[in-house]
Amino acid sequence: MTASPIDPHGSSPVELQERIVADRRGRPYLLFRDGVGAQRIVALDDQQRLTIGRAPGCEVELSWDNRVSGTHAQLERLGGSDWTLIDDGISRNGSFVNGERLRQRHRLTDRDVLRFGGTTVVYCAPLQQITATIPETPEAQEIRISPAQRRVLVALCRPFRDDGEFATPASNQQIADELVLSVEAVKTHLRALFERFDVGELPRQSKRAELVKRAFQSGTISRRDLDE
């Protein structure tokens, strides 16, 4: 399996700078490592559809991975800047999103972890692209949560304390251990937070990451809170 693209501590200063430049463009992109461990960034600009596979000519060519089919999956633009991953069963080994096998298609959100064969690809949608999806009215910005819900939310966001570019939200067990709560209690608070931040209708694997983004974007949580 190729080296993971999601460990900032294993990245060179040049690679980190490349990611910063990609983020500043404000457009979605794919981040992965090739067969020799070199960082690859594929910008998703004005294309309508890209093919992912091992065959020459694929826009996202994973030629080094013999577990990837010649034509493995496709990325398709939705409207303005959103993208969906499509796997209609043409690949032998399937495609995975955040550890779950994809059935037909999945609308991508920032930091979704995709896997094709033995290659991990991270879908990145810089913050500038996402803020427009959250209403800018004062009422939408002020989200009221209880002290207990706030503690759970802070614990959920804790992995982002050190500005890890590819941090992932804390698991239920990690939150429970930090706050000395049962996992069921954590789940109860998270369900309420999903509703408060209007992410309850999203796919299960996307809710936690989207909750973290909206917590920061709305100002409910700041980096300073994570140091407490």
Side-chain angles (χ1 to χ4, degrees), residues 32-227:
F32 56 97
R33 294 191 180 277
D34 62 20
V36 296
Q39 176 171 278
R40 299 275 192 97
I41 293 176
V42 176
L44 304 178
D45 292 326
D46 298 325
Q47 313 97 316
Q48 294 302 313
R49 179 175 293 218
L50 294 87
T51 300
I52 301 167
R54 190 156 47 92
C58 289
E59 288 81 2
V60 184
E61 186 178 333
L62 310 178
S63 57
W64 60 88
D65 192 336
N66 59 16
R67 294 171 56 193
V68 172
S69 299
T71 299
H72 196 101
Q74 291 182 322
L75 283 166
E76 185 176 278
R77 180 189 293 277
L78 293 175
S81 60
D82 291 338
W83 288 83
T84 184
L85 178 66
I86 305 170
D87 187 329
D88 290 328
I90 58 176
S91 63
R92 181 177 60 186
N93 293 319
S95 304
F96 293 79
V97 180
N98 300 323
E100 295 190 3
R101 184 158 185 158
L102 176 63
R103 306 296 180 187
Q104 293 189 330
R105 61 180 58 213
H106 172 85
R107 185 168 185 165
L108 297 174
T109 59
D110 185 43
R111 304 315 189 212
D112 272 347
V113 178
L114 321 178
R115 182 165 61 80
F116 311 101
T119 301
T120 298
V121 178
V122 179
Y123 172 79
C124 303
L127 186 63
Q128 296 92 321
Q129 285 296 118
I130 301 165
T131 53
T133 67
I134 299 179
E136 295 296 334
T137 62
E139 292 80 9
Q141 294 293 334
E142 185 178 0
I143 300 175
R144 298 183 182 277
I145 57 177
S146 70
Q149 290 168 352
R150 179 178 175 78
R151 287 192 292 271
V152 169
L153 185 57
V154 169
L156 179 74
C157 299
R158 187 84 64 193
F160 295 82
R161 176 176 52 194
D162 299 322
D163 290 324
E165 294 184 53
F166 300 105
T168 56
S171 67
N172 290 343
Q173 188 62 61
Q174 289 172 323
I175 297 171
D177 291 343
E178 176 180 332
L179 301 180
V180 194
L181 294 172
S182 69
V183 170
E184 286 305 315
V186 171
K187 290 180 179 179
T188 297
H189 288 307
L190 283 175
R191 282 194 292 268
L193 288 166
F194 292 151
E195 295 304 317
R196 290 281 194 280
F197 285 83
D198 196 26
V199 299
E201 298 303 318
L202 292 179
R204 181 170 58 85
Q205 62 268 28
S206 304
K207 287 182 181 181
R208 302 170 75 88
E210 187 65 22
L211 175 57
V212 170
K213 285 187 288 191
R214 296 195 180 195
F216 281 121
Q217 291 169 1
S218 66
T220 307
I221 297 295
S222 69
R223 301 282 180 184
R224 184 179 304 172
D225 294 321
L226 306 186
D227 291 327

